[in-house]
Amino acid sequence: MKSTFSDEAGVLEEPSLRCNVQIEQVFEGPLDLLLYLIRRDELDIYDIPISYIADQYIQYLERMKAYDIRLASEYLVMASTLLNIKARMLLPSSWSASPEEPVDPRKELTERLLARKYVKELAADLMGKLEEEGHYLPAMNVAPVQGDGGEEEVELDWFQFIEAFYLVMRHELEELPFTPFEEVKIEERMEYLLAKLGEKNRMRFDELLIEIPNRLFLVATFVALLELMRLRKVTVRQTGSFGRIWIYRKR
Amino acid sequence: MDIQKTLNMKGLVEALVIASREPVSPERIGELLDVEKQEVEDIISGLNKEYEESGRGFRLRFIAGGYQYYTLPEFHEYIKPFLGEPKTRLSASALEVLAVIALKQPVTRSEIERVRGVNSLHSLHRLVGLGLVNIVGRKKGTGSPFIYTLSDKFYQRFGLKGADDLPTMEELEEIFRQEYGDMED
């Protein structure tokens, strides 16, 4: 059984977690912490002593707090879930609405822990496959011819792009939901756009739009694009005056 | 006469696979040659046998739903530095997100996060950026979240034939139960 709980340095990839020290580097989330405790104390995952594990879990959180480590809210949610299960265990009559079919209050948690375990193992397996497959190189095939049906592509400047954007997005904008309490960072959108362009030379602008969940996101993406144009990281081209808009990576 | 026909067929398969930009399914090759899928498979194993016997540096492999030419792994260490191609490095989080999608696809972000127990937005963005994960649509309902699946590029990069080549939740459970039983004994 694989148990690499201590070398999950991969979390550094998740910028939102970057500032939460230690605990995030050791455990990626409360499920991981629970799996660690189960393993450490050789508990039966199919029959978790919930009172014991809840104590251990909360003790662990307390220790983290003593080190002045800010806990991600997920850890606190799990603590309350554990206490909730513990309370329900004490009242067997409340296990289920119908007494003929008592449902173990731990059932859902056990299922989540197992799923988490399987995912970790599959992830390790995939890493091996990726490594192995990297030794086979596919025949490099000729890239498709650029441009659409011979029509000439014109590079757009800021104002032309804003105009083209408006033309394309006019209708779409109305349909997108407005979510007031979300935060979208322009820098993150810029990073994302560059990553998405990544290996490709260019991407379709409308392809980008299908990924946009709400207005705020759309605005942030648009501003990010303008910023990338200003920094000369990308150029925007359009085929004809109402044609397809392409974003090109500038090298 | 039959031998002559087989020879031409071999040439045709080679030409088709080489000229194609994507992996070519045996069904499509069969369509072109007007033969059954099994015969296509036979021609391909015949070709691979010839390549092997004549010491060629490539083989036809069935990856991501179709056949494509691949260099042999033993040449990798020599040609890779020569080509200077960067290798895609994936973080543990990114691999886990791929694993969840592999087990649950088609899947939304909140479903992925439920399994992992942590925020997965950045890993998902990165994977979409790398083209390993596709957004195939939106789910109806609150917030109409995106639906994610693994892309052909994923299967290609991981050397998998397709979705059927991945284990299911049930299979993993079976393996785990067995190992767990062994541990208890």
Side-chain angles (χ1 to χ4, degrees), chain A residues 45-92:
Chain A
I45 197 165
Y46 293 108
D47 185 18
I48 303 168
I50 205 79
S51 170
Y52 174 79
I53 201 135
D55 287 349
Q56 293 297 317
Y57 182 87
I58 289 162
Q59 261 182 39
Y60 206 97
L61 296 198
E62 292 292 336
R63 239 192 337 218
M64 288 301 124
K65 240 164 62 198
Y67 288 128
D68 206 18
I69 289 161
R70 227 191 79 215
L71 288 169
S73 59
E74 296 121 15
Y75 286 91
L76 303 177
V77 173
M78 180 55 78
S80 82
T81 305
L82 290 172
L83 293 177
N84 182 291
I85 297 172
K86 185 177 163 183
R88 279 192 292 155
M89 296 285 287
L90 295 171
L91 300 164

Side-chain angles (χ1 to χ4, degrees), chain A residues 1 13-14 28 44-46 108 116-118 133-137 139 141 192 199 210-212, chain B residues 20 61 69-71 73 76 91 96 114 116 123 135 138 146 153 157 159 173 176-177 179-180:
Chain A
M1 199 105 311
E13 288 280 337
E14 304 261 21
E28 216 187 320
D44 185 354
I45 197 165
Y46 293 108
E108 201 198 333
R116 176 88 182 114
K117 221 172 157 53
Y118 304 148
E133 187 59 24
H135 293 237
Y136 290 90
L137 302 177
N141 293 314
Y192 173 69
E199 293 161 30
I210 64 149
E211 297 173 8
I212 293 187
Chain B
S20 176
R61 291 173 74 221
Y69 276 102
Y70 280 87
T71 60
H76 172 260
S91 67
E96 267 189 36
R114 191 168 160 67
R116 294 192 63 224
S123 292
I135 294 170
R138 284 174 191 276
F146 290 121
K153 193 170 166 189
R157 280 290 162 84
E173 197 174 340
F176 177 67
R177 270 183 196 276
E179 282 177 23
Y180 202 76

Side-chain angles (χ1 to χ4, degrees), chain A residues 215-249:
Chain A
R215 289 190 204 182
L216 195 63
F217 218 74
L218 176 71
V219 172
T221 307
F222 180 56
V223 175
L225 265 174
L226 290 177
E227 185 64 12
L228 287 173
M229 284 170 81
R230 190 183 70 83
L231 294 170
R232 298 182 192 284
K233 298 244 192 222
V234 302
T235 52
V236 177
R237 291 162 173 270
Q238 190 173 25
T239 28
S241 1
F242 295 100
R244 184 161 281 166
I245 302 172
W246 293 93
I247 300 156
Y248 279 81
R249 183 169 198 145

Side-chain angles (χ1 to χ4, degrees), chain A residues 118, chain B residues 169-179:
Chain A
Y118 304 148
Chain B
M169 209 60 143
E170 290 73 34
E171 281 163 3
L172 291 176
E173 197 174 340
E174 187 59 35
I175 295 167
F176 177 67
R177 270 183 196 276
Q178 270 170 15
E179 282 177 23

